[in-house]
Amino acid sequence: MKKPSSKIRNEIAKLQEQLRQAETREAEGIGHLALKAGLGEISIEEIALLAAFEDLATGFRRGKYPTTGRKRGNGDAGPSTAVVIPGANPVSSDEA
């Protein structure tokens, strides 16, 4: 039996709210890390900061920086416990 469109709309609305809450939690976590790293004290254009974040994300996706190697429930890599210094060559724990 097919679901009525009103029920599907209600499910979509619930999922959109869950997504909004998850994105808020993730943004708060990233924001805390950015402040801890000192980004709150730097005067920088939003477009330049966004480009830097995109470069950082690309670096993690390509394995440029070490991560914990764990996977989140949705298949994305979990948060890194490594300290990343832009421009520095990452060293694995095997090389240290």
Side-chain angles (χ1 to χ4, degrees):
M1 181 169 189
K2 295 185 179 184
K3 292 182 186 179
S5 60
S6 61
K7 189 168 186 170
I8 294 171
R9 281 189 197 90
N10 287 338
E11 291 175 7
I12 290 171
K14 287 178 187 178
L15 289 172
Q16 286 174 329
E17 178 61 20
Q18 289 176 9
L19 176 61
R20 187 190 63 75
Q21 290 174 356
E23 288 175 339
T24 298
R25 281 190 308 272
E26 292 168 357
E28 288 173 351
I30 291 168
H32 288 295
L33 290 173
L35 290 174
K36 194 173 182 179
L39 287 177
E41 301 167 8
I42 298 172
S43 177
I44 186 170
E45 293 289 327
E46 185 175 327
I47 191 88
L49 185 57
L50 178 59
F53 279 136
E54 288 171 345
D55 288 344
L56 184 62
T58 298
F60 275 105
R61 285 186 193 106
R62 292 183 178 164
K64 182 177 179 181
Y65 305 111
T67 63
T68 61
R70 296 183 307 193
K71 299 281 184 182
R72 290 185 182 178
N74 62 2
D76 293 338
S80 172
T81 58
V83 176
V84 177
I85 302 170
N89 291 328
V91 178
S92 73
S93 58
D94 298 336
E95 297 173 11

